[in-house]
Amino acid sequence: MQWQWLQPGSSCTVRAYAKINLTLDVLGRRGDGYHALATVMQTIDLYDTLSLTLREDGLVHLVCTQPELSTETNLALRAAMLLRAHTGERRGVLIELQKRIPSAAGLGGGSSDAAAALLALTRLWQLRLTATELMELAASLGSDVPFFLYGGLALCEGRGELVTPLPPCWPAELRWLVLLKPAISVATAGVFGALTAHDYSDGSHTQAVCAALQAQRMPALSHLHNGLERGVLERYAEVAVGRAALLEAGAPFVRLSGSGPTLFTALADLEEAHRLWLRLQEQGYEVYLTQVVYPSAESLTLASVAAH
Ligand code: C5P
């Protein structure tokens, strides 16, 4: 995530990017109630902004542009509390969160905010934490949070928390992304809870996608799979309607991101992607035209923050 100091040592601003799942295999249900996954995730240029200001009075406080998200369940606030409990840090922080990523949308917004808070606070409070400690703290906040400590393109396994970063090899054929967010929120736990054995796969979609990306080839569209999609399309009519609208407007394919409800398609050509975006916007859909994003040299990442 990109970041900058406002006043060195006392405040900083970071971007927390959203993600999409290029492919997602649900391998089966585990004994602990979670599902074993193999998925390829990529950060995209749609982001929340967190401004963090050190507080010497020890208070930890969050204000959000969407007041309904300024609660104690907010993952960025929970990340700050967790970091303090783990390290014994006594100073506080004011987190000002400017939300742009739709929440409960399958785009990892809350998880990305939490990862951004962990990295920025490690800097702001000058904590000495190893990469392993940060990854463990992230995983305890949510299955997607460790991915956002890296950003870019990655294979995620386990319940999602085992992250293998991949080289930046997003295919040119998928350069421009059009996202459609149906006007509903979806609870991840409910989507996983409604899975049946028919939704499970053996991980071969994810393997094929990783192999294609690493050979710098476009993966076969049949391998852009999401094991959560069938159930979400069946349970939420708004998602099925959004999918039909994307296809009708000319999308070459449509996939659900994560547990949804956001749908995406991808095109090589910006003008074509823009036409698609415009058609859907004119029909009143919440749509985004964006592209993938990778951490830059100035980004705050696990590697730049962790103690060695
Ligand atoms: O890890 P996170 O808190 O984001 O997960 C939310 C819920 O989604 C979990 O409580 C669980 O019900 C479900 N889940 C799952 N398998 C995963 C990830 C999440 O069943 N790999």
Side-chain angles (χ1 to χ4, degrees):
M1 57 215 55
Q2 289 192 349
W3 69 290
Q4 65 182 102
W5 289 111
L6 296 178
Q7 285 169 285
S10 63
S11 62
C12 75
T13 295
V14 291
R15 286 182 184 180
Y17 291 103
K19 60 83 180 165
I20 54 169
N21 299 73
L22 184 57
T23 194
L24 190 161
D25 284 299
V26 183
L27 308 178
R29 194 165 188 276
R30 313 195 314 187
D32 62 3
Y34 282 92
H35 289 77
L37 304 180
T39 179
V40 173
M41 304 218 274
Q42 166 74 55
T43 41
I44 61 171
D45 199 7
L46 167 65
Y47 57 87
D48 295 337
T49 306
L50 286 83
S51 296
L52 300 99
T53 308
L54 196 67
R55 290 184 65 128
E56 296 292 349
D57 62 5
L59 283 179
V60 175
H61 190 55
L62 179 136
V63 287
C64 181
T65 46
Q66 291 177 19
E68 69 277 15
L69 300 180
S70 307
T71 65
E72 58 199 28
T73 58
N74 186 292
L75 270 184
L77 184 63
R78 286 184 45 209
M81 304 302 282
L82 182 68
L83 205 51
R84 257 169 55 114
H86 180 77
T87 60
E89 174 62 48
R90 301 176 71 116
R91 286 171 295 176
V93 67
L94 167 65
I95 303 173
E96 290 165 284
L97 174 57
Q98 187 180 2
K99 241 2 236 179
R100 289 191 203 83
I101 308 172
S103 35
L107 298 172
S111 301
S112 187
D113 296 344
L118 282 179
L119 292 176
L121 284 169
T122 301
R123 268 286 163 88
L124 201 63
W125 287 336
Q126 297 163 300
L127 304 172
R128 286 191 63 76
L129 290 167
T130 63
T132 309
E133 272 177 295
L134 279 163
M135 286 294 279
E136 283 172 5
L137 292 172
S140 74
L141 289 163
S143 305
D144 281 352
V145 183
F147 163 74
F148 288 106
L149 293 181
Y150 289 94
L153 182 65
L155 165 67
C156 300
E157 297 170 285
R159 62 181 166 90
E161 89 286 21
L162 305 177
V163 184
T164 308
L166 300 173
C169 48
W170 188 262
E173 290 87 341
L174 303 178
R175 165 120 195 238
W176 297 104
L177 299 164
V178 178
L179 274 53
L180 183 152
K181 156 70 175 57
I184 51 164
S185 299
V186 163
T188 306
V191 172
F192 276 102
L195 289 175
T196 71
H198 295 302
D199 301 309
Y200 300 158
S201 46
D202 61 1
S204 52
H205 296 296
T206 300
Q207 274 169 23
V209 167
C210 287
L213 292 177
Q214 283 180 319
Q216 304 200 339
R217 278 188 289 108
M218 166 69 192
L221 287 183
S222 58
H223 288 307
L224 305 187
H225 166 84
N226 184 338
L228 304 174
E229 194 170 296
R230 185 205 56 83
V232 171
L233 284 172
E234 210 171 273
R235 286 172 69 203
Y236 299 96
E238 295 88 340
V239 182
V241 168
R243 181 174 184 278
L246 267 158
L247 290 171
E248 175 76 13
F253 69 94
V254 181
R255 275 285 73 84
L256 188 75
S257 182
S259 55
T262 304
L263 299 156
F264 71 92
T265 190
L267 301 102
D269 184 63
L270 175 58
E271 276 180 34
E272 218 179 305
H274 187 258
R275 272 198 299 275
L276 179 63
W277 172 83
L278 199 59
R279 255 176 242 142
L280 291 160
Q281 216 214 22
E282 283 168 357
Q283 292 171 41
Y285 287 104
E286 182 179 341
V287 270
Y288 300 86
L289 172 57
T290 186
Q291 59 182 325
V292 304
V293 72
Y294 291 99
S296 67
E298 302 82 50
S299 298
L300 208 53
T301 61
L302 187 60
S304 66
V305 162
H308 298 289

